[in-house]
Amino acid sequence: MEIINESNIVKTIKIDEFSLPESVDFTCGFCSRLVNYYLDWNEYNGRVMFTTSRCSGCGGMSKFYLVEFMENSDDYYEGILYISPGSNRRKPIKGIESYPEFNKGLVRAYNSTINVFNLGEWTATSILCRRLLEGITKSILPETEQYRPLARQLEILPNKVDLDKPILTLAHAIRIGGNLGAHFDLEKEPNYETSKYMVDLLEYLIEYLFILPHRIKELNEHIENLKNEKIDSNP
Ligand SMILES: [Zn+2]
């Protein structure tokens, strides 16, 4: 189940005291195509409304729910629209724009990458991923190094930023947090905030040490396979 934002509602229809979404652009949860759904609501009870609509691409039947009705500025009741199954659309990392080091240009480049990915534009996605990587290295390297080729920029990156440091600091933070709980001290007891940070950080550590190396290996193998397939098909 996924919420459908107002920006995806193309047309609404007014019936009795309700303003109801009639035409919606959304990514199909069955085939991942961006399609238009026509919504025909035949029961207006003002609590939960339900209807179904078929994807024009694959024919999959999606369910739509309208809930939590509120009066809008035109005195009509509007609900929040949900679709099931959800679209599996990729969402940007939550709150990424609040990190000052990840500047506005990078946020824009990152959001564009996610958008074209969700549109199924694979070539554009791969180009934008590379562009974002370039943006990231440029945000770290001094101006004099920024005009070198990307491969060279990546080589000199570890000279400018200590890549080991964040992970070691993270591990120490978890250790120190653990000491708070392990050693009795009435003044310094771990609370919800401390525990939440610790679980979050531990998950980053697990991701970094166990998941990330596998993902990198899988991506490299995938790219190698693509290259080999190309050689096979072009003897
Ligand atoms: Zn579909």
Side-chain angles (χ1 to χ4, degrees), residues 28-33 35 37 55-60:
C28 170
F30 297 101
C31 70
S32 300
R33 288 187 186 92
V35 288
Y37 292 98
C55 165
S56 53
C58 70

Side-chain angles (χ1 to χ4, degrees), residues 172-182 190 194 198:
H172 279 298
I174 297 171
R175 182 183 63 80
I176 292 163
N179 286 346
L180 286 182
T194 321
M198 283 185 65

